[in-house]
Every structure is written in structure tokens, then in C-alpha cells.
Amino acid sequence: DATLYGGTLRAKLQLDVTGSTPAYEGSAKFIDLKLLPFLSDGWKMQQLEGILNGHFDFATQGVNGILLTQNMQGNLAVDIRQGHLKGIDFNKLLAGQISSAASKTAFSELKLKSHIQKGRLVLDRLNLNSERFSAIGTGQLSMLKGTFDGKLFTTYHTPPASLETFAGLEIPIKIKGPIEQLRWTLELEKLMNSSANQQKLFERLNNVMGQSVR
């Protein structure tokens, strides 16, 4: 157990060397850790900040880092509060503008449940909430390559005035690339081809036309 990054880490590790290959089982619990320095020191990742709570358990075997990662199985669940996604500004993304490295998108809570299979972290459920929007997500992280491929399905409940067109629509955003330099892409065609989105836009247009006639 240790006190670090402004919080507490409680961990257990068991090593079995009775077989032909060393085998490991472990678990860790994170309590109120400052996420940004934790990720930066451990994985050179600086795209996510907030206060981390969660737990991680795993089993693996091998004699070097590559084999240990390839053979890893386990589960990871985290709850991040009062944080930021760094390097992306959702408002700029929807407006067709480019985010800078200094851009941020604030969120009140990010919850993640995932499992690890053969060195891949698979998101089973991701929920993101902020003052203006909510989102659900899917994706996979290659733990050996350090690359992520996933999607966010975002709904703007109270967008800024300049983005009122997107109010209530489900907005698909593709996230891909190395974890230290993720690329965020608005999938505009899928947004417009969604039947639910088309219905909302049609209703909105009818309301506008009805008001103009009156």
C-alpha cells in the first residue's frame, strides 16, 4: 500500500514459480489519485486528468514485458470525477475547427468498465457526463502498441448558442491513434444518416416553418 499522487494505492501481487513459466496474479485499488501525473509518469499519457477511483485485477504469465502483456487477462473499472479531456474541444470539433494541444473539454464524471484479453483493453461500457452533454463509448486499446481505436456517441443537451443545431442529436465521434496523440473525427455522414437524428431535424424544421407562417 502507498500514499501517492494525492491519494492512496492498495495493491496485492502473487508470483508462482512452481511451473515452467512464472505466473502472476494481482489486484490494485485506486482511491482519490490525481490522474494526470499518474498516467504521465507511468505511460507518458497526458490527455486525461481528474480524480481517479477504481480497481484493477489481472492474471498473466511470462518472462519478459512483451509476454506478460500478451498473456494478460483481467478487469478494470474506474470512476474519474471533475476532469478534462486534453487536446480536444468538442465545441470546436462540431464547428469544424481544429483543436490545439492546449484545448480542453471539461467533464463532471467518466465511468469505465472494461476487460483485458490477450493484451487488449476492451471497453465494455463508457459513460461520460458534463454540464452540456453526455456520451457513451466503445473501443479497444492495444497495450503493446499503445494505440486506441474507438467511438463516442455524444448527445448535446444544452449546447452553446452557436451549436443549437446539434441539440438533442446523437453525434458519433471517432477516436483513433497513439494514446499520446489521439485523433478525434466527427462522423458527419453517420450523424445525418441516423433515422433518429433525421426525425428530430424534421420536427425542428416543421416548428420553424410553422412559426414563420404564423
Side-chain angles (χ1 to χ4, degrees):
D1 296 349
T3 299
L4 71 172
Y5 301 112
T8 303
L9 172 66
R10 296 176 181 168
K12 295 179 181 179
L13 178 64
Q14 178 177 308
L15 170 61
D16 183 355
V17 294
T18 59
S20 57
T21 303
Y24 300 79
E25 287 188 10
S27 63
K29 186 174 183 180
F30 315 106
I31 305 171
D32 294 337
L33 265 67
K34 293 180 180 177
L35 184 59
L36 182 59
F38 176 61
L39 291 178
S40 180
D41 290 348
W43 296 272
K44 308 301 180 185
M45 181 181 177
Q46 300 182 12
Q47 283 67 45
L48 189 60
E49 63 181 346
I51 303 300
L52 169 67
N53 286 275
H55 67 268
F56 170 50
D57 60 77
F58 70 93
T60 188
Q61 60 181 19
V63 294
N64 57 49
I66 293 176
L67 289 174
L68 290 171
T69 303
Q70 286 179 339
N71 294 325
M72 186 172 290
Q73 312 283 333
N75 296 281
L76 172 68
V78 300
D79 186 346
I80 305 167
R81 295 180 182 271
Q82 305 306 319
H84 291 88
L85 296 170
K86 302 184 69 178
I88 179 66
D89 184 324
F90 278 17
N91 292 337
K92 287 185 177 180
L93 181 65
L94 296 181
Q97 302 172 6
I98 298 176
S99 296
S100 68
S103 298
K104 290 184 178 182
T105 295
F107 63 85
S108 55
E109 184 176 38
L110 188 159
K111 284 189 173 183
L112 168 69
K113 283 193 174 182
S114 59
H115 70 276
I116 300 168
Q117 187 172 23
K118 296 182 178 179
R120 278 189 182 275
L121 178 69
V122 181
L123 307 188
D124 298 315
R125 190 181 75 198
L126 184 152
N127 295 95
L128 178 66
N129 292 292
S130 80
E131 182 181 351
R132 293 186 177 275
F133 67 87
S134 62
I136 58 175
T138 61
Q140 292 189 13
L141 170 67
S142 171
M143 298 171 67
L144 276 177
K145 297 179 180 179
T147 56
F148 183 79
D149 189 352
K151 288 186 178 181
L152 271 183
F153 299 91
T154 304
T155 303
Y156 253 97
H157 304 292
T158 54
S162 59
L163 296 172
E164 284 185 356
T165 304
F166 293 100
L169 303 185
E170 184 178 78
I171 304 164
I173 299 173
K174 188 174 184 179
I175 311 167
K176 192 170 184 177
I179 56 173
E180 71 275 7
Q181 196 173 5
L182 292 172
R183 299 187 301 274
W184 303 73
T185 308
L186 173 63
E187 295 188 303
L188 188 58
E189 183 178 349
K190 291 184 178 181
L191 185 155
M192 299 307 298
N193 287 338
S194 165
S195 58
N197 286 347
Q198 289 174 356
Q199 180 64 30
K200 289 176 182 177
L201 287 170
F202 179 72
E203 292 173 355
R204 199 165 297 161
L205 180 61
N206 273 344
N207 290 336
V208 171
M209 292 179 66
Q211 290 174 3
S212 65
V213 170
R214 289 195 295 270

